[in-house]
Amino acid sequence: MTTINIANDFSLYPGGRYPEDGPKSGQEFRESFLVPLLQKDEPIRIELDGTRGYGSSFLEEVFGGLVRKGFSPQMILSKIRLITSRPGLQDEITEYIKNAN
């Protein structure tokens, strides 16, 4: 299992949805980290704590974007383990995965 700590491995300040919205976008995180690991069929542990917060556009693009890239919600939910102490964050991300179109 690969562990990704977003604060340490990506940014303390995750950005917006797309690169044109500024640095450290959701699209960049998804394409640089998650897609390659999921294509290898590797389980992923994502540590969400430690950043200065997440915009909904970042989270939706990362996790909902995986569905739009062709990964099934069931596969994503079975391969990704979300670690956080923030109440509701895991539920929010799960909803982005289930409701992506």
Side-chain angles (χ1 to χ4, degrees):
M1 177 176 290
T2 297
T3 297
I4 302 167
N5 180 300
I6 294 179
N8 293 335
D9 300 329
F10 186 67
S11 179
L12 284 173
Y13 304 95
R17 183 177 293 273
Y18 303 118
E20 54 267 23
D21 296 331
K24 302 300 181 181
S25 69
Q27 180 182 351
E28 178 185 348
F29 179 75
R30 184 189 69 235
E31 296 300 319
S32 297
F33 287 87
L34 300 185
V35 168
L37 292 171
L38 288 171
Q39 287 174 333
K40 292 181 189 176
D41 198 30
E42 187 168 337
I44 309 164
R45 176 187 165 132
I46 302 174
E47 296 177 355
L48 296 157
D49 293 348
T51 68
R52 300 296 185 229
Y54 294 99
S56 58
S57 60
F58 177 89
L59 294 174
E60 200 290 323
E61 186 60 30
V62 170
F63 297 101
L66 288 171
V67 176
R68 291 187 292 278
K69 285 288 187 180
F71 298 99
S72 74
Q74 296 79 14
M75 185 270 225
I76 297 165
L77 294 169
S78 72
K79 295 291 181 186
I80 292 179
R81 183 172 170 211
L82 302 170
I83 308 299
T84 182
S85 62
R86 298 177 189 175
L89 187 57
Q90 188 168 358
D91 293 337
E92 179 182 355
I93 291 169
T94 299
E95 288 302 310
Y96 291 139
I97 295 167
K98 289 180 177 179
N99 296 321
N101 53 24

